[in-house]
Amino acid sequence: MKNLVKAEDNRSFGKKLLGFIGNNTVPIMFIIICIVCIPLSGFSLSYLANEIVTRMGRNLFLILCLLIPIMAGMGLNFGMTLGAMAGEIALIIVADAQIWGIPGIIAAMIISIPLSILLGLCCGKLLNMGRGREMITSYIISYVFNGIYQLVVLYMMGSIIPIKHTSIKLPRGYGIRNTVSLLNMRQSLDNLLAINVGGVKIPVLTFLIVGVLCIFIVWFRKTKLGQDMRAVGQDQEVARDAGIDVDKTRIISMVMSTVIAGFGMIIYLQNMGNISTYSSHSQIGMFCIAALLVGGASVDKANIGNVFLGVILFHTMFIVAPKAGAAITGDSMIGEYFRVFVSYGVITVALIMYEAKKRRAKAGAGRELAAAQAAEDGGAANEDK
């Protein structure tokens, strides 16, 4: 009897272990990659810790903006790029006004809000028209609005929109230079209240701001609007029958995500110390989504823990891959290709796994329904007899 119980426990443990591995394949894969690459890179632990903490402060706020659309059932928001564009335009305006330091960051955030709201409204309405295909639609929308952004900064700024400082204008007199310096603003947020622990610089204020956003997200989920978004994410028809304005709720989620993305881009660029005017935003959505998926999130489920784990694993790989590639092959470019390949590959793998899991669940539900129907038919036949 004891042997049977033990065998049953072993089978149960085996099923749980396989289930855990199946649900966390991407994070486990990245943990293995990091374990292999860290010794090969030759970096000291203090250097790695310092780089990871810096990148956490730089990226966490941006990635957290993805959680709200997922809650509302809109999947991975590639449209967060629109918020990044709003943040860049706000920083260009602030740089032209020569407002630097913390006041400049606050001014840029205030300027970005109406731009982000307008872009979020447009994106939300377009995604409601492309219902059921939100991810690919938001991806294409980001390309469309990138064209509008290029038109604004390349032709309208300096000709229609007044730009005073020639240092940020192209020599022809209009359009913004490829790089706009934020040297007088560089790491203003990160250096304020920063502490040094064992050679690792910790940007306390930046982490406090990230912590406030995390608390807001936890609180927001418990509000009426947050509960409405969760209901819409689970089943739009049921939510509509319950009296929830589904389209409006989805638009609000996009607006919130875009505003947060605008703030996140400002935090990101003040850390970098410059704006690559025409390319800073181009890959930001891809890398943020990849980091979230590396943390174990899926298209329909993500939490704050996934964000933190994803940033640590994804950026650890980004730091060590070139040196590890050079150590293995003698060519550091292999490492560069590898990390770019992985950032796209992890999104592909995660989406394939999500779709396969969804189809298995649908097939299992169909089998259960067929079995229930067969049992009901069998019961009805016995009663007739």
Side-chain angles (χ1 to χ4, degrees):
M1 185 67 181
K2 288 182 179 179
N3 290 335
L4 287 172
V5 171
K6 190 174 180 180
E8 186 63 33
D9 289 342
N10 288 337
R11 281 196 295 270
S12 177
F13 175 76
K15 286 181 180 178
K16 287 179 181 178
L17 182 61
L18 287 173
F20 176 80
I21 293 171
N23 293 329
N24 298 278
T25 304
V26 176
I28 291 169
M29 181 176 66
F30 265 76
I31 289 170
I32 293 169
I33 291 171
C34 291
I35 290 171
V36 172
C37 289
I38 286 172
L40 292 171
S41 69
F43 290 131
S44 66
L45 290 179
S46 62
Y47 173 81
L48 274 176
N50 197 60
E51 284 293 309
I52 291 167
V53 169
T54 300
R55 289 166 185 259
M56 286 177 71
R58 186 188 300 163
N59 291 279
L60 280 171
F61 206 97
L62 265 171
I63 301 172
L64 284 166
C65 82
L66 296 167
L67 298 184
I68 293 176
I70 290 174
M71 187 196 314
M74 301 181 77
L76 302 167
N77 178 25
F78 288 94
M80 66 170 289
T81 309
L82 276 62
M85 293 176 198
E88 286 177 340
I89 290 172
L91 280 172
I92 291 169
I93 293 169
V94 166
D96 183 53
Q98 298 288 289
I99 307 171
W100 303 117
I102 298 296
I105 293 170
I106 294 170
M109 288 181 173
I110 292 170
I111 293 168
S112 74
I113 291 172
L115 293 172
S116 295
I117 290 173
L118 178 62
L119 292 172
L121 283 169
C122 293
C123 187
K125 288 184 177 180
L126 289 170
L127 291 181
N128 279 340
M129 296 177 188
R131 197 183 306 274
R133 296 289 183 272
E134 287 88 355
M135 282 190 292
I136 186 62
T137 306
S138 64
Y139 190 64
I140 299 303
I141 288 170
S142 69
Y143 277 110
V144 172
F145 277 89
N146 183 50
I148 298 170
Y149 168 84
Q150 305 279 353
L151 177 67
V152 170
V153 296
L154 192 57
Y155 292 103
M156 294 177 67
M157 284 191 165
S159 57
I160 298 172
I161 302 169
I163 298 292
K164 294 182 294 184
H165 281 268
T166 56
S167 61
I168 66 172
K169 283 195 292 187
L170 291 169
R172 66 188 181 188
Y174 62 92
I176 304 300
R177 291 181 182 271
N178 287 338
T179 303
V180 175
S181 175
L182 300 176
L183 193 61
N184 294 323
M185 188 188 287
R186 186 172 185 266
Q187 297 189 5
S188 297
L189 196 65
D190 302 320
N191 292 333
L192 194 64
L193 303 181
I195 60 173
N196 197 294
V197 180
V200 178
K201 177 187 170 184
I202 301 175
V204 175
L205 183 58
T206 306
F207 282 126
L208 283 174
I209 293 170
V210 170
V212 169
L213 179 58
C214 292
I215 292 168
F216 168 78
I217 290 171
V218 171
W219 167 81
F220 179 74
R221 283 175 173 165
K222 298 176 183 177
T223 63
K224 172 66 168 59
L225 181 56
Q227 295 291 339
D228 287 352
M229 284 186 186
R230 292 172 69 180
V232 170
Q234 289 171 3
D235 193 312
Q236 291 184 36
E237 293 304 319
V238 172
R240 190 174 282 109
D241 292 342
I244 298 170
D245 189 334
V246 172
D247 288 355
K248 183 180 177 182
T249 303
R250 284 159 56 92
I251 290 171
I252 291 171
S253 75
M254 287 305 302
V255 169
M256 291 178 66
S257 178
T258 309
V259 170
I260 295 170
F263 290 172
M265 194 62 178
I266 292 166
I267 293 171
Y268 178 92
L269 291 174
Q270 66 82 34
N271 178 273
M272 299 294 289
N274 62 74
I275 308 171
S276 296
T277 309
Y278 302 98
S279 61
S280 282
H281 59 275
S282 59
Q283 296 295 323
I284 202 74
M286 188 71 68
F287 289 147
C288 287
I289 288 169
L292 183 63
L293 293 172
V294 166
S298 68
V299 174
D300 60 354
K301 188 177 180 182
N303 57 48
I304 293 168
N306 298 138
V307 174
F308 279 82
L309 179 61
V311 170
I312 293 169
L313 292 177
F314 187 71
H315 286 282
T316 299
M317 186 274 295
F318 246 57
I319 295 163
V320 301
K323 290 282 284 185
I328 295 169
T329 65
D331 185 357
S332 61
M333 285 305 295
I334 297 294
E336 292 287 345
Y337 292 138
F338 174 72
R339 66 185 187 178
V340 173
F341 162 75
V342 168
S343 64
Y344 286 95
V346 71
I347 296 176
T348 305
V349 170
L351 293 179
I352 290 170
M353 289 172 59
Y354 169 75
E355 187 62 29
K357 187 177 178 181
K358 189 167 78 171
R359 290 188 180 186
R360 283 199 303 269
K362 191 174 181 180
R367 286 194 297 270
E368 288 178 7
L369 183 62
Q373 186 63 44
E376 187 178 333
D377 292 343
N382 290 334
E383 285 180 8
D384 289 341
K385 289 178 181 179

